[in-house]
Amino acid sequence: ELKVEQNPLFLSMQEGKNYTIYCNYSTTSDRLYWYRQDPGKSLESLFVLLSNGAVKQEGRLMASLDTKARLSTLHITAAVHDLSATYFCAVVRPIIIQGAQKLVFGQGTRLTINP
Amino acid sequence: GAGVSQSPSNKVTEKGKDVELRCDPISGHTALYWYRQRLGQGLEFLIYFQGNSAPDKSGLPSDRFSAERTGESVSTLTIQRTQQEDSAVYLCASSYLGGNLPYEQYFGPGTRLTVT
């Protein structure tokens, strides 16, 4: 059974600081997603990581994937208040229907950035 | 273009009642997923539809939960004899099985279900 664990689950930080969210998963996968969720809203896709060593950056967020360690990181640089949200990683696993895939989600990291 | 839509956005029901939740996927998306998100938790996979294939129901938590989809259009998730533990946000997602990133899922806004 695929398990996905994030840490920390809660993170409160000051604007301007750097921090990293970690996502560990238990079995091999060929795709990992990072999503953002604002309170009361749906999920917004941030990054999809497809291969070992993949690194993607968008603004102050950078995501990386180490498939050998089964670890992905989401790094926040010089945080700003607008980045306050809950961040989820999700790992793709095949499901019964051939070619289909489902997402197994981490618990989420609730990030609060204080002005 | 239009994204995934869900209705109702909020539903409050009494314990023991049946509820129906609706999902309209993005036009042209043949795959449709239902997830449940309990308060403060990640998303749990419930069921997957792909075209006219038999759905993957492996995530449904009990036989009180069922879902239908007509072709490649609207899906309804039905919860019978609701219990308080069914209170959650139910999210629908759809995906297109082509292009550079097949299976990338696009999520709807969710239906917040509260069972009193």
Side-chain angles (χ1 to χ4, degrees), chain B residues 11-46:
Chain B
K11 176 73 176 178
V12 180
T13 189
E14 292 180 354
K15 178 181 172 180
K17 302 277 190 181
D18 298 351
V19 294
E20 265 193 11
L21 312 180
R22 177 186 168 110
C23 172
D24 283 270
I26 294 172
S27 177
H29 282 196
T30 57
L32 187 147
Y33 305 77
W34 283 97
Y35 294 88
R36 177 172 69 178
Q37 185 178 27
R38 290 193 163 123
L39 185 64
Q41 304 290 317
L43 277 68
E44 304 169 70
F45 167 79
L46 296 177

Coordinates of all heavy atoms in Angstrom, one line a residue, chain B residues 11-46:
Chain B
K11 N -23.9 21.4 1.3 CA -25.1 20.6 1.5 C -25.1 20.2 3.0 O -24.1 19.6 3.5 CB -25.1 19.3 0.7 CG -26.2 18.3 0.9 CD -27.6 18.9 0.4 CE -28.7 17.8 0.6 NZ -30.0 18.4 0.1
V12 N -26.2 20.5 3.7 CA -26.4 20.1 5.1 C -27.6 19.2 5.1 O -28.6 19.4 4.5 CB -26.7 21.3 6.0 CG1 -26.9 20.9 7.4 CG2 -25.6 22.4 5.9
T13 N -27.4 18.0 5.7 CA -28.4 17.0 5.7 C -28.5 16.3 7.1 O -27.5 16.4 7.8 CB -28.1 15.9 4.6 OG1 -29.3 15.1 4.5 CG2 -26.9 15.1 5.0
E14 N -29.6 15.7 7.3 CA -29.8 15.0 8.6 C -29.2 13.6 8.5 O -29.4 13.0 7.4 CB -31.2 15.0 9.0 CG -31.8 16.4 9.4 CD -33.2 16.3 9.8 OE1 -33.8 15.2 9.7 OE2 -33.8 17.3 10.2
K15 N -28.7 13.1 9.6 CA -28.3 11.7 9.6 C -29.4 10.8 9.1 O -30.5 11.0 9.5 CB -27.8 11.4 11.0 CG -27.4 10.0 11.3 CD -27.0 9.8 12.7 CE -26.7 8.3 13.0 NZ -26.4 8.1 14.4
G16 N -29.0 9.9 8.3 CA -30.0 8.9 7.8 C -30.6 9.2 6.4 O -31.2 8.4 5.8
K17 N -30.4 10.5 6.0 CA -30.9 10.9 4.7 C -30.0 10.5 3.6 O -28.8 10.3 3.8 CB -31.2 12.4 4.7 CG -32.1 12.9 5.7 CD -33.6 12.7 5.3 CE -34.5 13.5 6.3 NZ -35.9 13.3 5.9
D18 N -30.5 10.4 2.4 CA -29.6 10.2 1.2 C -29.3 11.5 0.6 O -30.1 12.5 0.6 CB -30.4 9.4 0.2 CG -30.8 8.0 0.7 OD1 -30.3 7.6 1.8 OD2 -31.5 7.3 0.0
V19 N -28.1 11.6 0.0 CA -27.7 12.8 -0.7 C -27.1 12.4 -2.1 O -26.5 11.3 -2.2 CB -26.6 13.7 0.1 CG1 -27.2 14.2 1.3 CG2 -25.4 12.9 0.3
E20 N -27.2 13.4 -3.0 CA -26.7 13.2 -4.3 C -25.8 14.4 -4.7 O -26.2 15.6 -4.5 CB -27.8 13.1 -5.4 CG -28.1 11.7 -5.8 CD -29.0 11.7 -7.0 OE1 -29.1 12.7 -7.7 OE2 -29.5 10.6 -7.3
L21 N -24.6 14.1 -5.1 CA -23.6 15.2 -5.4 C -23.3 15.1 -6.9 O -23.2 14.0 -7.4 CB -22.3 15.1 -4.6 CG -22.5 14.8 -3.1 CD1 -21.1 14.7 -2.4 CD2 -23.3 15.9 -2.5
R22 N -23.2 16.2 -7.6 CA -23.1 16.2 -9.0 C -21.7 16.8 -9.4 O -21.2 17.7 -8.8 CB -24.2 17.0 -9.6 CG -24.1 17.2 -11.1 CD -25.2 18.1 -11.6 NE -25.0 18.5 -13.0 CZ -25.8 18.1 -14.0 NH1 -26.8 17.3 -13.8 NH2 -25.6 18.4 -15.3
C23 N -21.2 16.2 -10.5 CA -19.9 16.7 -11.1 C -20.1 16.8 -12.6 O -20.5 15.8 -13.3 CB -18.8 15.8 -10.7 SG -17.2 16.2 -11.6
D24 N -19.7 18.0 -13.1 CA -19.7 18.2 -14.6 C -18.2 18.3 -15.0 O -17.6 19.3 -14.6 CB -20.4 19.5 -15.0 CG -21.9 19.3 -15.0 OD1 -22.4 18.9 -16.1 OD2 -22.5 19.5 -14.0
P25 N -17.7 17.3 -15.7 CA -16.2 17.4 -16.0 C -16.0 18.4 -17.1 O -16.9 18.9 -17.8 CB -15.9 16.0 -16.5 CG -17.2 15.5 -17.1 CD -18.3 16.2 -16.2
I26 N -14.7 18.7 -17.4 CA -14.3 19.5 -18.5 C -14.7 18.7 -19.8 O -14.5 17.5 -19.9 CB -12.8 19.8 -18.5 CG1 -12.5 20.7 -17.3 CG2 -12.3 20.4 -19.8 CD1 -11.0 20.9 -17.0
S27 N -15.3 19.4 -20.8 CA -15.7 18.8 -22.0 C -14.5 18.2 -22.7 O -13.4 18.8 -22.8 CB -16.3 19.9 -22.9 OG -16.6 19.3 -24.2
G28 N -14.7 16.9 -23.1 CA -13.6 16.2 -23.8 C -12.7 15.4 -22.9 O -11.9 14.5 -23.3
H29 N -12.9 15.5 -21.6 CA -12.2 14.7 -20.6 C -12.9 13.4 -20.4 O -14.0 13.4 -19.9 CB -12.0 15.5 -19.3 CG -11.0 16.5 -19.3 ND1 -10.5 17.1 -18.1 CD2 -10.3 17.1 -20.3 CE1 -9.5 17.9 -18.4 NE2 -9.4 18.0 -19.8
T30 N -12.2 12.3 -20.7 CA -12.9 11.0 -20.6 C -12.8 10.4 -19.2 O -13.5 9.5 -18.9 CB -12.3 10.0 -21.7 OG1 -10.9 9.9 -21.4 CG2 -12.5 10.6 -23.1
A31 N -11.8 10.8 -18.5 CA -11.6 10.2 -17.1 C -12.2 11.2 -16.1 O -12.1 12.4 -16.2 CB -10.1 10.0 -16.9
L32 N -12.8 10.6 -15.1 CA -13.4 11.3 -14.0 C -13.1 10.6 -12.7 O -13.3 9.4 -12.6 CB -14.9 11.5 -14.2 CG -15.7 12.4 -13.3 CD1 -16.8 13.0 -14.0 CD2 -16.2 11.6 -12.1
Y33 N -12.8 11.4 -11.7 CA -12.4 10.9 -10.3 C -13.3 11.6 -9.3 O -13.6 12.7 -9.4 CB -11.0 11.2 -10.0 CG -9.9 10.7 -11.0 CD1 -9.7 11.4 -12.2 CD2 -9.1 9.6 -10.7 CE1 -8.7 11.0 -13.1 CE2 -8.1 9.2 -11.6 CZ -8.0 9.9 -12.8 OH -7.0 9.5 -13.7
W34 N -13.6 10.8 -8.2 CA -14.2 11.4 -7.0 C -13.2 11.2 -5.9 O -12.6 10.1 -5.7 CB -15.5 10.7 -6.7 CG -16.7 11.2 -7.5 CD1 -17.2 10.6 -8.6 CD2 -17.5 12.4 -7.2 NE1 -18.3 11.3 -9.0 CE2 -18.5 12.4 -8.2 CE3 -17.4 13.4 -6.3 CZ2 -19.4 13.4 -8.3 CZ3 -18.4 14.4 -6.4 CH2 -19.4 14.4 -7.4
Y35 N -13.0 12.2 -5.0 CA -12.2 12.1 -3.8 C -13.0 12.7 -2.7 O -13.9 13.5 -2.8 CB -10.9 13.0 -4.0 CG -9.9 12.5 -5.0 CD1 -10.0 12.9 -6.3 CD2 -8.9 11.7 -4.7 CE1 -9.1 12.5 -7.3 CE2 -7.9 11.3 -5.6 CZ -8.1 11.7 -6.9 OH -7.1 11.3 -7.8
R36 N -12.6 12.3 -1.5 CA -13.2 12.8 -0.2 C -12.0 13.5 0.5 O -10.9 12.9 0.7 CB -13.8 11.7 0.6 CG -14.4 12.1 1.9 CD -15.1 11.0 2.6 NE -14.3 9.9 3.1 CZ -14.8 8.9 3.7 NH1 -16.1 8.8 3.9 NH2 -14.0 7.9 4.1
Q37 N -12.3 14.6 1.1 CA -11.3 15.3 1.9 C -12.0 15.7 3.3 O -12.8 16.5 3.4 CB -10.8 16.6 1.3 CG -9.7 17.3 2.1 CD -9.2 18.5 1.4 OE1 -9.9 19.2 0.6 NE2 -7.9 18.9 1.6
R38 N -11.6 14.9 4.3 CA -12.0 15.2 5.6 C -11.3 16.4 6.2 O -10.2 16.8 5.7 CB -11.8 14.0 6.5 CG -12.8 12.9 6.2 CD -12.8 11.9 7.3 NE -13.9 11.0 7.2 CZ -13.8 9.7 7.1 NH1 -12.6 9.1 7.1 NH2 -14.9 8.9 7.1
L39 N -11.9 17.1 7.2 CA -11.3 18.3 7.7 C -9.9 18.2 8.1 O -9.5 17.2 8.9 CB -12.2 18.8 8.9 CG -11.8 20.1 9.5 CD1 -12.0 21.2 8.5 CD2 -12.6 20.4 10.8
G40 N -9.0 19.0 7.6 CA -7.6 18.9 7.9 C -6.8 17.8 7.4 O -5.7 17.5 7.8
Q41 N -7.4 17.0 6.4 CA -6.7 15.9 5.9 C -6.4 16.0 4.4 O -6.9 17.0 3.8 CB -7.7 14.6 6.1 CG -8.1 14.4 7.5 CD -7.0 13.9 8.4 OE1 -6.1 13.1 7.9 NE2 -6.9 14.4 9.6
G42 N -5.7 15.1 3.9 CA -5.5 15.0 2.5 C -6.7 14.4 1.8 O -7.7 14.1 2.4
L43 N -6.6 14.2 0.5 CA -7.7 13.6 -0.3 C -7.6 12.1 -0.3 O -6.5 11.5 -0.5 CB -7.6 14.2 -1.7 CG -8.2 15.5 -2.0 CD1 -7.4 16.6 -1.3 CD2 -8.4 15.8 -3.5
E44 N -8.8 11.5 -0.2 CA -8.9 10.0 -0.3 C -9.6 9.7 -1.6 O -10.7 10.2 -1.9 CB -9.7 9.4 0.8 CG -9.3 9.7 2.2 CD -10.4 9.3 3.1 OE1 -10.6 8.1 3.3 OE2 -11.1 10.2 3.7
F45 N -9.0 8.8 -2.4 CA -9.6 8.4 -3.7 C -10.8 7.6 -3.4 O -10.8 6.7 -2.5 CB -8.6 7.5 -4.5 CG -9.1 6.8 -5.6 CD1 -9.4 7.4 -6.8 CD2 -9.4 5.4 -5.5 CE1 -9.9 6.6 -7.9 CE2 -9.9 4.7 -6.5 CZ -10.2 5.3 -7.7
L46 N -11.9 7.8 -4.1 CA -13.1 7.1 -4.0 C -13.4 6.2 -5.2 O -13.6 5.0 -5.0 CB -14.3 8.0 -3.7 CG -14.3 8.9 -2.5 CD1 -15.5 9.8 -2.5 CD2 -14.3 8.0 -1.2

